[in-house]
Amino acid sequence: MSTTFYLLFLLLLSITAATVVGITTVSSDIAALKAIKSAVNPATIPSYTCLYSWDFTSDPCSPPHVTHFLCGLSCSGNRVTQLTLDPAGYSGTLSPLISQLLQLTTIDLSDNKLSGPIPNSLFTLPNLQTLILGSNSFSGVIPPSITNLKKLQTLDISHNYLSGSLPNSLTLLTELTRLDLSFNKLTGPIPNLPKNLIQLALKSNSLSGYIQQQPFTGLTQLEVIELSQNSLTGTIPGWFFLTPSLQQVNLANNNFTGVEILKPVNDNSLVAVDLGYNKISGYPPANFSTYPMLASLTLSYNKLRGRIPLEYKRFSRLFLDGNYLTELSPEFFSRKVSISGSVGDNCLRKCPVTSELCLKKQKPLWICRQVYHGKLKLKL
Ligand SMILES: *[C@@H]1O[C@H](CO)[C@@H](O)[C@H](O)[C@H]1NC(C)=O
Ligand SMILES: *[C@@H]1O[C@H](CO)[C@@H](O)[C@H](O)[C@H]1NC(C)=O
């Protein structure tokens, strides 16, 4: 009798508590979470994972989360605001019902094995600020409708199988500061870019064409450009390095044939440039030394010839291997702090092996003679 009373009392108490706290996750959010869980292959949901703890006999947003809904989501009141799954190796697809989680600000499903297209409905979420789907197996294109995500600040879908070209309407993502679509199968030219971008990473895709001014117009915040391992071509234009906030540029492993370096007129914050593994011919551009902050320069494995500009001796890192360079001033070795880097695999006559720069061997004489039409009297 007293036990029954006691239980009844507990039941009433818990009902009252729930009413006082007032949290019962809205039903459309619960339906979305159920759909998201059931689109994941159950064999990839072991007992230690977040998704395993999603047991819908209890309410997702109601605390305390002692046994159920231990992780993978956050709520504000009765709405889900963050979906941040653990990197458990979940496979399966992403349910289109994710678009019912109308208060979502953050989605992070990185380091799993989710595949198929990113559902179009996801691009209707009105409050999304962070979308991280990196290191999964998503395929398909990035549709122009992505620009509906007006509040998006971070977009990272790197290391997936995205294909097709990028929409020029990306400029409409005015809040976007970080864009990382590296390691996909994207093709076409560099699209017009959002004006407030700080970091741009499109490494290891199949982007082609010239570097045109239009995509970069008005990008005054841009600090990092990572476009290595694509099929970009032509001459890298001088204005590119004058982008006002630019600090790091990586254009290595493309098909560039030339580079124009203009002297900066205003403040310039460029610190590191990597143009290695292209087809840049001519003399190494001495104007690089007019960039006041530039400390690291890589021009390895191009087709540069002639002398290494004396002006380069002020850099702290210098990589010029794999060209046809012929002269290096002894002044490079009279610095107090030695330069780190390498000038191996060139046609340098005097490169003292006591210097770290010269540890790698130079090219055989016959190759250098061929390049310089036998005119070079080299004593290697
Ligand atoms: C570079 O250009 C050459 C000749 O135009 C072409 O054959 C080659 O496939 C290109 N390489 C890359 C990585 O785009
Ligand atoms: C170096 O910069 C100046 C000033 O911007 C420019 O006129 C000149 O053509 C540049 N030199 C080379 C070799 O590109």
Side-chain angles (χ1 to χ4, degrees), residues 59-107:
D59 187 78
C61 287
S62 301
H65 299 287
V66 179
T67 50
H68 299 153
F69 295 100
L70 294 178
C71 51
L73 60 84
S74 304
C75 299
S76 173
N78 59 2
R79 299 303 304 255
V80 177
T81 54
Q82 303 198 4
L83 183 66
T84 49
L85 287 184
D86 45 338
Y90 300 123
S91 73
T93 60
L94 181 55
S95 167
L97 288 195
I98 193 171
S99 62
Q100 289 184 180
L101 300 172
L102 286 175
Q103 297 301 319
L104 270 188
T105 58
T106 301
I107 298 175

Side-chain angles (χ1 to χ4, degrees), residues 261 283-290 309-312 315:
I261 304 296
Y283 299 118
N287 270 354
F288 265 129
S289 63
T290 62
L310 184 56
E311 293 89 338
Y312 283 8
F315 298 137

Side-chain angles (χ1 to χ4, degrees), residues 102-124:
L102 286 175
Q103 297 301 319
L104 270 188
T105 58
T106 301
I107 298 175
D108 183 348
L109 310 177
S110 52
D111 295 297
N112 281 294
K113 291 175 181 153
L114 300 171
S115 58
I118 298 163
N120 266 320
S121 61
L122 186 151
F123 302 125
T124 63

Side-chain angles (χ1 to χ4, degrees), residues 37-75:
K37 181 170 178 177
S38 37
V40 172
N41 177 358
T44 63
I45 310 180
S47 59
Y48 55 82
T49 61
C50 289
L51 274 187
Y52 188 87
S53 76
W54 288 18
D55 178 337
F56 292 93
T57 58
S58 68
D59 187 78
C61 287
S62 301
H65 299 287
V66 179
T67 50
H68 299 153
F69 295 100
L70 294 178
C71 51
L73 60 84
S74 304
C75 299

Side-chain angles (χ1 to χ4, degrees), residues 24 75 83 106 128 141 176 228 255 343:
T24 318
C75 299
L83 183 66
T106 301
L128 200 62
V141 301
L176 195 69
S228 62
N255 235 345
V343 298

Side-chain angles (χ1 to χ4, degrees), residues 321-344:
D321 340 45
N323 285 286
Y324 305 102
L325 300 166
T326 51
E327 274 179 62
L328 178 65
S329 162
E331 290 190 42
F332 274 87
F333 310 108
S334 59
R335 280 177 34 137
K336 280 208 188 78
V337 181
S338 61
I339 305 177
S340 77
S342 176
V343 298

Side-chain angles (χ1 to χ4, degrees), residues 242 259-265 284-288 290:
L242 301 177
V259 57
E260 179 190 26
I261 304 296
L262 301 175
K263 292 180 186 171
V265 272
N287 270 354
F288 265 129
T290 62

